[in-house]
Amino acid sequence: MSLIFHSLILLVLCYTLHKLRQAHLLLFDLRDQSHQDNTGLFRQLEALQGLYVELDLKASLPPTRGWAASPDFLLELARHARAARPGVVVECSSGTSTLVLARCMQLNGAGKVYSLEHDPHYAAQTRQQLRRHGLQDWAEVLDAALRPHTLAGENWPWYDLSALPSGLGIDLLVIDGPPQATRALARYPAGPLLFLHLNPGAQIFLDDAGRDDEQAIVARWRQEFPLLAHATRVCEKGCAVLTKPT
Ligand SMILES: C[S@@+](CC[C@H](N)C(=O)[O-])C[C@H]1O[C@@H](n2cnc3c(N)ncnc32)[C@H](O)[C@@H]1O
């Protein structure tokens, strides 16, 4: 009887110790996670502050992160646009990035942003924000519904390019759309449909390059356009930069 009793006590003790150890490990995981989150958040705040200072903005930007580009990606764009002074910027998807790029054109005193937007609601929203910032002369949001494009025998819903002025030579191409839910490798068509319009020395910035889908897209572009140099920048959602040789 006493043996059974003692065995039971031992069993309960072992179980309690096991649970305690699990709770202990979970606590360490939570502490590491919270440290990582804080570090990431601080980096985004620093980048956002950097954007406001470097662009000397007179009005606040719409929200960043989430659906919009993150501050670190926007800062990469702004620094490139200020240093390289691109004449023609084409952007796949409009929003906060359009304002940042348009402000760079204004500060440079030259250049124009053409932003392809498939959703009329967000197109109107970006135009309104451009007016609010006094940037309407530096960026044009083009209504570009997603229409079927046939590429390598496959159907790709991607922007209608008919609104894009013909004969454009692109100096900077920023790819942050269409949304991932459109289809697998949703942003791939930018390669076969826009890369042929790139000027020598032009650069391509791809947002969300940390995702599996975007990594597969970059791999495919590099296979199809082997002359493009490839680099990455440290950004929370990932940033791939491809450069056409001069
Ligand atoms: C990744 S977002 C574009 C972000 C844009 N480049 C920026 O920095 O704000 C891609 C598309 O999502 C759509 N979109 C933007 N904000 C959205 C929201 N809050 N909810 C759903 N769709 C949104 C727009 O049509 C946009 O072209």
Side-chain angles (χ1 to χ4, degrees):
M1 189 66 185
S2 137
L3 185 66
I4 293 176
F5 178 71
H6 280 110
S7 302
L8 262 177
I9 298 267
L10 197 65
L11 213 66
V12 170
L13 213 68
C14 283
Y15 180 74
T16 312
L17 275 176
H18 169 69
K19 283 287 167 199
L20 250 172
R21 186 169 180 277
Q22 273 187 330
H24 184 73
L25 291 176
L26 188 68
L27 214 66
F28 272 100
D29 274 356
L30 284 174
R31 194 194 59 176
D32 288 351
Q33 185 60 46
S34 147
H35 179 71
Q36 265 180 23
D37 289 351
N38 286 340
T39 306
L41 193 62
F42 192 76
R43 186 168 147 73
Q44 294 312 312
L45 288 172
E46 278 183 323
L48 192 61
Q49 165 84 356
L51 262 184
Y52 276 88
V53 170
E54 291 189 23
L55 299 187
D56 191 21
L57 292 166
K58 303 291 183 238
S60 58
L61 288 172
T64 57
R65 297 183 105 186
W67 276 89
S70 290
D72 54 3
F73 181 78
L74 294 168
L75 189 59
E76 289 289 344
L77 281 187
R79 286 186 175 156
H80 173 73
R82 292 288 283 135
R85 304 175 64 84
V88 172
V89 180
V90 171
E91 185 189 35
C92 299
S93 90
S94 78
T96 312
S97 52
T98 319
L99 294 176
V100 166
L101 291 166
R103 176 63 177 154
C104 293
M105 303 298 105
Q106 188 184 46
L107 290 171
N108 290 347
K112 183 85 185 245
V113 181
Y114 298 93
S115 185
L116 300 165
E117 176 55 62
H118 73 281
D119 186 320
H121 168 75
Y122 291 111
Q125 202 164 286
T126 306
R127 287 187 195 109
Q128 192 261 329
Q129 285 286 346
L130 285 168
R131 283 192 297 274
R132 191 171 84 85
H133 281 256
L135 293 169
Q136 64 277 10
D137 294 340
W138 301 96
E140 204 173 322
V141 181
L142 306 171
D143 287 302
L146 301 181
R147 71 155 184 86
H149 293 262
T150 305
L151 298 168
E154 271 188 80
N155 177 34
W156 301 80
W158 200 76
Y159 302 102
D160 182 347
L161 288 178
S162 57
L164 201 62
S166 57
L168 274 187
I170 303 171
D171 298 303
L172 171 61
L173 176 60
V174 179
I175 304 171
D176 193 17
Q180 195 181 25
T182 312
R183 63 152 282 170
L185 309 185
R187 299 173 181 181
Y188 161 74
L193 295 174
L194 285 180
F195 288 6
L196 69 161
H197 300 295
L198 293 172
N199 282 331
Q203 291 207 296
I204 303 152
F205 280 68
L206 174 68
D207 194 11
D208 303 306
R211 299 192 301 212
D212 289 348
D213 226 36
E214 271 59 28
Q215 284 182 12
I217 292 169
V218 170
R220 197 161 166 176
W221 285 342
R222 291 181 71 191
Q223 215 170 34
E224 292 173 18
F225 304 92
L227 291 183
L228 294 178
H230 172 243
T232 56
R233 305 278 167 85
V234 180
C235 287
E236 67 170 351
K237 296 195 235 172
C239 168
V241 182
L242 298 159
T243 308
K244 182 171 173 168
T246 45

mmCIF file of all heavy atoms in Angstrom, residues 63 66-70 74 91-98 116-119 122 125 159 176-179 187 207-208 237, ligand 1:
data_model
loop_
_atom_site.group_PDB
_atom_site.id
_atom_site.type_symbol
_atom_site.label_atom_id
_atom_site.label_comp_id
_atom_site.label_asym_id
_atom_site.label_seq_id
_atom_site.Cartn_x
_atom_site.Cartn_y
_atom_site.Cartn_z
ATOM 1 N N PRO A 63 0.030 55.622 -43.283
ATOM 2 C CA PRO A 63 0.680 54.523 -42.548
ATOM 3 C C PRO A 63 1.699 53.763 -43.390
ATOM 4 O O PRO A 63 1.527 53.600 -44.603
ATOM 5 C CB PRO A 63 -0.481 53.597 -42.190
ATOM 6 C CG PRO A 63 -1.680 54.467 -42.206
ATOM 7 C CD PRO A 63 -1.430 55.520 -43.238
ATOM 8 N N GLY A 66 2.615 46.838 -42.804
ATOM 9 C CA GLY A 66 1.355 46.183 -43.165
ATOM 10 C C GLY A 66 1.240 46.148 -44.683
ATOM 11 O O GLY A 66 2.148 45.703 -45.377
ATOM 12 N N TRP A 67 0.166 46.697 -45.194
ATOM 13 C CA TRP A 67 -0.040 46.728 -46.653
ATOM 14 C C TRP A 67 0.964 47.646 -47.323
ATOM 15 O O TRP A 67 1.372 47.410 -48.465
ATOM 16 C CB TRP A 67 -1.456 47.184 -46.988
ATOM 17 C CG TRP A 67 -2.422 46.048 -46.931
ATOM 18 C CD1 TRP A 67 -3.106 45.627 -45.833
ATOM 19 C CD2 TRP A 67 -2.783 45.166 -48.002
ATOM 20 N NE1 TRP A 67 -3.874 44.541 -46.147
ATOM 21 C CE2 TRP A 67 -3.698 44.232 -47.477
ATOM 22 C CE3 TRP A 67 -2.424 45.060 -49.337
ATOM 23 C CZ2 TRP A 67 -4.259 43.223 -48.248
ATOM 24 C CZ3 TRP A 67 -2.985 44.057 -50.110
ATOM 25 C CH2 TRP A 67 -3.891 43.147 -49.566
ATOM 26 N N ALA A 68 1.323 48.704 -46.640
ATOM 27 C CA ALA A 68 2.267 49.659 -47.234
ATOM 28 C C ALA A 68 3.700 49.153 -47.057
ATOM 29 O O ALA A 68 3.952 48.236 -46.280
ATOM 30 C CB ALA A 68 2.107 51.008 -46.552
ATOM 31 N N ALA A 69 4.607 49.772 -47.785
ATOM 32 C CA ALA A 69 6.020 49.433 -47.616
ATOM 33 C C ALA A 69 6.465 49.847 -46.208
ATOM 34 O O ALA A 69 5.912 50.779 -45.629
ATOM 35 C CB ALA A 69 6.843 50.157 -48.675
ATOM 36 N N SER A 70 7.474 49.165 -45.692
ATOM 37 C CA SER A 70 7.993 49.484 -44.354
ATOM 38 C C SER A 70 8.990 50.635 -44.444
ATOM 39 O O SER A 70 9.609 50.849 -45.494
ATOM 40 C CB SER A 70 8.682 48.261 -43.748
ATOM 41 O OG SER A 70 7.715 47.299 -43.434
ATOM 42 N N LEU A 74 11.392 52.041 -47.594
ATOM 43 C CA LEU A 74 11.159 53.394 -48.125
ATOM 44 C C LEU A 74 12.431 54.242 -48.039
ATOM 45 O O LEU A 74 12.728 55.027 -48.952
ATOM 46 C CB LEU A 74 10.007 54.068 -47.359
ATOM 47 C CG LEU A 74 8.633 53.414 -47.558
ATOM 48 C CD1 LEU A 74 7.629 53.964 -46.552
ATOM 49 C CD2 LEU A 74 8.121 53.633 -48.983
ATOM 50 N N GLU A 91 6.430 52.494 -60.986
ATOM 51 C CA GLU A 91 6.147 51.786 -59.743
ATOM 52 C C GLU A 91 4.957 50.856 -59.965
ATOM 53 O O GLU A 91 3.961 51.261 -60.557
ATOM 54 C CB GLU A 91 5.807 52.843 -58.692
ATOM 55 C CG GLU A 91 5.600 52.299 -57.334
ATOM 56 C CD GLU A 91 5.044 53.344 -56.376
ATOM 57 O OE1 GLU A 91 4.233 54.206 -56.784
ATOM 58 O OE2 GLU A 91 5.396 53.263 -55.209
ATOM 59 N N CYS A 92 5.071 49.623 -59.494
ATOM 60 C CA CYS A 92 3.951 48.685 -59.563
ATOM 61 C C CYS A 92 3.268 48.707 -58.204
ATOM 62 O O CYS A 92 3.787 48.124 -57.248
ATOM 63 C CB CYS A 92 4.432 47.282 -59.889
ATOM 64 S SG CYS A 92 5.267 47.174 -61.466
ATOM 65 N N SER A 93 2.158 49.383 -58.090
ATOM 66 C CA SER A 93 1.319 49.574 -56.899
ATOM 67 C C SER A 93 1.627 50.912 -56.228
ATOM 68 O O SER A 93 2.788 51.227 -55.973
ATOM 69 C CB SER A 93 1.431 48.445 -55.884
ATOM 70 O OG SER A 93 2.436 48.691 -54.947
ATOM 71 N N SER A 94 0.559 51.640 -55.956
ATOM 72 C CA SER A 94 0.726 52.991 -55.403
ATOM 73 C C SER A 94 0.465 53.008 -53.898
ATOM 74 O O SER A 94 -0.073 52.059 -53.339
ATOM 75 C CB SER A 94 -0.248 53.947 -56.086
ATOM 76 O OG SER A 94 -1.550 53.771 -55.552
ATOM 77 N N GLY A 95 0.849 54.099 -53.271
ATOM 78 C CA GLY A 95 0.611 54.245 -51.831
ATOM 79 C C GLY A 95 1.675 55.130 -51.219
ATOM 80 O O GLY A 95 2.137 56.100 -51.846
ATOM 81 N N THR A 96 2.107 54.791 -50.022
ATOM 82 C CA THR A 96 3.106 55.596 -49.313
ATOM 83 C C THR A 96 4.386 55.716 -50.141
ATOM 84 O O THR A 96 5.022 56.774 -50.174
ATOM 85 C CB THR A 96 3.407 54.957 -47.940
ATOM 86 O OG1 THR A 96 2.160 54.661 -47.293
ATOM 87 C CG2 THR A 96 4.194 55.888 -47.055
ATOM 88 N N SER A 97 4.751 54.631 -50.816
ATOM 89 C CA SER A 97 5.970 54.652 -51.639
ATOM 90 C C SER A 97 5.885 55.721 -52.730
ATOM 91 O O SER A 97 6.885 56.347 -53.070
ATOM 92 C CB SER A 97 6.207 53.272 -52.256
ATOM 93 O OG SER A 97 5.040 52.829 -52.919
ATOM 94 N N THR A 98 4.689 55.952 -53.266
ATOM 95 C CA THR A 98 4.529 56.960 -54.330
ATOM 96 C C THR A 98 4.864 58.351 -53.781
ATOM 97 O O THR A 98 5.516 59.157 -54.455
ATOM 98 C CB THR A 98 3.071 56.961 -54.857
ATOM 99 O OG1 THR A 98 2.613 55.619 -54.963
ATOM 100 C CG2 THR A 98 2.968 57.650 -56.202
ATOM 101 N N LEU A 116 1.588 52.461 -61.299
ATOM 102 C CA LEU A 116 0.495 51.609 -61.812
ATOM 103 C C LEU A 116 -0.338 51.131 -60.626
ATOM 104 O O LEU A 116 0.194 50.559 -59.679
ATOM 105 C CB LEU A 116 1.086 50.396 -62.530
ATOM 106 C CG LEU A 116 1.991 50.688 -63.734
ATOM 107 C CD1 LEU A 116 2.802 49.457 -64.114
ATOM 108 C CD2 LEU A 116 1.148 51.149 -64.926
ATOM 109 N N GLU A 117 -1.633 51.393 -60.661
ATOM 110 C CA GLU A 117 -2.516 50.979 -59.555
ATOM 111 C C GLU A 117 -3.757 50.287 -60.129
ATOM 112 O O GLU A 117 -4.459 50.853 -60.945
ATOM 113 C CB GLU A 117 -2.898 52.197 -58.701
ATOM 114 C CG GLU A 117 -3.869 51.900 -57.589
ATOM 115 C CD GLU A 117 -3.416 50.772 -56.638
ATOM 116 O OE1 GLU A 117 -2.385 50.917 -55.989
ATOM 117 O OE2 GLU A 117 -4.136 49.733 -56.576
ATOM 118 N N HIS A 118 -4.003 49.062 -59.659
ATOM 119 C CA HIS A 118 -5.130 48.297 -60.219
ATOM 120 C C HIS A 118 -6.453 48.625 -59.538
ATOM 121 O O HIS A 118 -7.513 48.372 -60.082
ATOM 122 C CB HIS A 118 -4.847 46.795 -60.123
ATOM 123 C CG HIS A 118 -4.953 46.257 -58.730
ATOM 124 N ND1 HIS A 118 -3.944 46.407 -57.798
ATOM 125 C CD2 HIS A 118 -5.953 45.589 -58.095
ATOM 126 C CE1 HIS A 118 -4.306 45.839 -56.672
ATOM 127 N NE2 HIS A 118 -5.530 45.339 -56.817
ATOM 128 N N ASP A 119 -6.384 49.181 -58.326
ATOM 129 C CA ASP A 119 -7.612 49.379 -57.561
ATOM 130 C C ASP A 119 -7.977 50.869 -57.559
ATOM 131 O O ASP A 119 -7.253 51.690 -56.980
ATOM 132 C CB ASP A 119 -7.373 48.878 -56.129
ATOM 133 C CG ASP A 119 -8.640 48.899 -55.290
ATOM 134 O OD1 ASP A 119 -9.415 49.868 -55.421
ATOM 135 O OD2 ASP A 119 -8.839 47.964 -54.494
ATOM 136 N N TYR A 122 -7.745 52.775 -54.198
ATOM 137 C CA TYR A 122 -6.411 53.148 -53.708
ATOM 138 C C TYR A 122 -5.741 54.158 -54.638
ATOM 139 O O TYR A 122 -4.929 54.975 -54.187
ATOM 140 C CB TYR A 122 -5.555 51.902 -53.478
ATOM 141 C CG TYR A 122 -6.080 51.101 -52.302
ATOM 142 C CD1 TYR A 122 -6.683 49.861 -52.481
ATOM 143 C CD2 TYR A 122 -6.024 51.626 -51.015
ATOM 144 C CE1 TYR A 122 -7.198 49.159 -51.406
ATOM 145 C CE2 TYR A 122 -6.539 50.925 -49.932
ATOM 146 C CZ TYR A 122 -7.130 49.691 -50.133
ATOM 147 O OH TYR A 122 -7.648 49.017 -49.063
ATOM 148 N N GLN A 125 -7.061 57.417 -53.511
ATOM 149 C CA GLN A 125 -6.472 57.738 -52.203
ATOM 150 C C GLN A 125 -5.040 58.284 -52.372
ATOM 151 O O GLN A 125 -4.666 59.273 -51.742
ATOM 152 C CB GLN A 125 -6.450 56.452 -51.377
ATOM 153 C CG GLN A 125 -6.371 56.675 -49.894
ATOM 154 C CD GLN A 125 -6.743 55.388 -49.150
ATOM 155 O OE1 GLN A 125 -7.895 55.004 -49.074
ATOM 156 N NE2 GLN A 125 -5.752 54.702 -48.628
ATOM 157 N N TYR A 159 -0.919 44.198 -64.482
ATOM 158 C CA TYR A 159 -1.363 45.544 -64.851
ATOM 159 C C TYR A 159 -1.536 45.725 -66.367
ATOM 160 O O TYR A 159 -0.713 45.266 -67.156
ATOM 161 C CB TYR A 159 -0.349 46.587 -64.366
ATOM 162 C CG TYR A 159 -0.132 46.540 -62.881
ATOM 163 C CD1 TYR A 159 0.999 45.943 -62.334
ATOM 164 C CD2 TYR A 159 -1.072 47.073 -62.009
ATOM 165 C CE1 TYR A 159 1.198 45.892 -60.961
ATOM 166 C CE2 TYR A 159 -0.876 47.021 -60.629
ATOM 167 C CZ TYR A 159 0.262 46.424 -60.125
ATOM 168 O OH TYR A 159 0.446 46.365 -58.761
ATOM 169 N N ASP A 176 6.087 46.493 -55.942
ATOM 170 C CA ASP A 176 5.451 46.184 -54.652
ATOM 171 C C ASP A 176 4.017 45.715 -54.897
ATOM 172 O O ASP A 176 3.166 45.818 -54.038
ATOM 173 C CB ASP A 176 5.487 47.440 -53.763
ATOM 174 C CG ASP A 176 5.142 47.133 -52.311
ATOM 175 O OD1 ASP A 176 5.188 45.956 -51.929
ATOM 176 O OD2 ASP A 176 4.803 48.076 -51.577
ATOM 177 N N GLY A 177 3.711 45.249 -56.081
ATOM 178 C CA GLY A 177 2.383 44.776 -56.440
ATOM 179 C C GLY A 177 2.488 44.009 -57.735
ATOM 180 O O GLY A 177 3.544 44.012 -58.372
ATOM 181 N N PRO A 178 1.434 43.327 -58.178
ATOM 182 C CA PRO A 178 0.142 43.230 -57.499
ATOM 183 C C PRO A 178 0.228 42.405 -56.212
ATOM 184 O O PRO A 178 1.242 41.758 -55.966
ATOM 185 C CB PRO A 178 -0.743 42.512 -58.537
ATOM 186 C CG PRO A 178 0.099 42.214 -59.714
ATOM 187 C CD PRO A 178 1.492 42.548 -59.419
ATOM 188 N N PRO A 179 -0.874 42.447 -55.407
ATOM 189 C CA PRO A 179 -0.870 41.686 -54.149
ATOM 190 C C PRO A 179 -0.631 40.196 -54.382
ATOM 191 O O PRO A 179 -1.000 39.650 -55.424
ATOM 192 C CB PRO A 179 -2.265 41.931 -53.582
ATOM 193 C CG PRO A 179 -2.732 43.186 -54.223
ATOM 194 C CD PRO A 179 -2.116 43.207 -55.596
ATOM 195 N N ARG A 187 4.172 38.843 -59.037
ATOM 196 C CA ARG A 187 4.939 40.004 -59.520
ATOM 197 C C ARG A 187 5.929 39.647 -60.636
ATOM 198 O O ARG A 187 6.619 40.524 -61.147
ATOM 199 C CB ARG A 187 5.690 40.645 -58.340
ATOM 200 C CG ARG A 187 4.729 41.129 -57.271
ATOM 201 C CD ARG A 187 5.431 41.607 -56.032
ATOM 202 N NE ARG A 187 4.430 42.032 -55.040
ATOM 203 C CZ ARG A 187 4.730 42.528 -53.854
ATOM 204 N NH1 ARG A 187 5.985 42.676 -53.501
ATOM 205 N NH2 ARG A 187 3.777 42.894 -53.014
ATOM 206 N N ASP A 207 10.130 44.843 -53.255
ATOM 207 C CA ASP A 207 9.761 44.763 -51.837
ATOM 208 C C ASP A 207 9.343 43.319 -51.503
ATOM 209 O O ASP A 207 9.060 42.525 -52.401
ATOM 210 C CB ASP A 207 8.593 45.734 -51.560
ATOM 211 C CG ASP A 207 8.385 45.968 -50.059
ATOM 212 O OD1 ASP A 207 9.240 45.555 -49.262
ATOM 213 O OD2 ASP A 207 7.359 46.569 -49.700
ATOM 214 N N ASP A 208 9.294 43.004 -50.231
ATOM 215 C CA ASP A 208 8.849 41.679 -49.755
ATOM 216 C C ASP A 208 9.746 40.543 -50.250
ATOM 217 O O ASP A 208 9.292 39.395 -50.374
ATOM 218 C CB ASP A 208 7.391 41.385 -50.187
ATOM 219 C CG ASP A 208 6.433 42.454 -49.703
ATOM 220 O OD1 ASP A 208 6.419 42.725 -48.498
ATOM 221 O OD2 ASP A 208 5.706 43.031 -50.539
ATOM 222 N N LYS A 237 11.005 43.225 -44.468
ATOM 223 C CA LYS A 237 10.257 42.327 -45.368
ATOM 224 C C LYS A 237 11.136 41.819 -46.509
ATOM 225 O O LYS A 237 10.649 41.119 -47.384
ATOM 226 C CB LYS A 237 9.048 43.066 -45.945
ATOM 227 C CG LYS A 237 8.019 43.479 -44.896
ATOM 228 C CD LYS A 237 6.701 43.858 -45.568
ATOM 229 C CE LYS A 237 6.231 45.226 -45.198
ATOM 230 N NZ LYS A 237 5.070 45.682 -45.975
HETATM 231 C C1 LIG B 1 1.635 46.085 -51.133
HETATM 232 S S1 LIG B 1 0.336 47.197 -51.468
HETATM 233 C C2 LIG B 1 1.107 48.618 -52.118
HETATM 234 C C3 LIG B 1 1.829 49.424 -51.190
HETATM 235 C C4 LIG B 1 2.422 50.701 -51.732
HETATM 236 N N1 LIG B 1 3.549 50.439 -52.600
HETATM 237 C C5 LIG B 1 2.823 51.472 -50.514
HETATM 238 O O1 LIG B 1 3.993 51.583 -50.216
HETATM 239 O O2 LIG B 1 1.901 51.933 -49.834
HETATM 240 C C6 LIG B 1 -0.287 46.522 -52.984
HETATM 241 C C7 LIG B 1 -1.696 46.908 -53.336
HETATM 242 O O3 LIG B 1 -2.539 46.624 -52.249
HETATM 243 C C8 LIG B 1 -3.671 47.458 -52.281
HETATM 244 N N2 LIG B 1 -3.819 48.016 -50.939
HETATM 245 C C9 LIG B 1 -3.211 49.078 -50.406
HETATM 246 N N3 LIG B 1 -3.597 49.256 -49.123
HETATM 247 C C10 LIG B 1 -4.481 48.263 -48.845
HETATM 248 C C11 LIG B 1 -5.237 47.888 -47.713
HETATM 249 N N4 LIG B 1 -5.164 48.577 -46.597
HETATM 250 N N5 LIG B 1 -6.053 46.816 -47.809
HETATM 251 C C12 LIG B 1 -6.138 46.115 -48.948
HETATM 252 N N6 LIG B 1 -5.438 46.421 -50.070
HETATM 253 C C13 LIG B 1 -4.613 47.468 -50.009
HETATM 254 C C14 LIG B 1 -3.438 48.521 -53.350
HETATM 255 O O4 LIG B 1 -4.233 48.214 -54.471
HETATM 256 C C15 LIG B 1 -1.948 48.350 -53.661
HETATM 257 O O5 LIG B 1 -1.677 48.579 -55.009
#
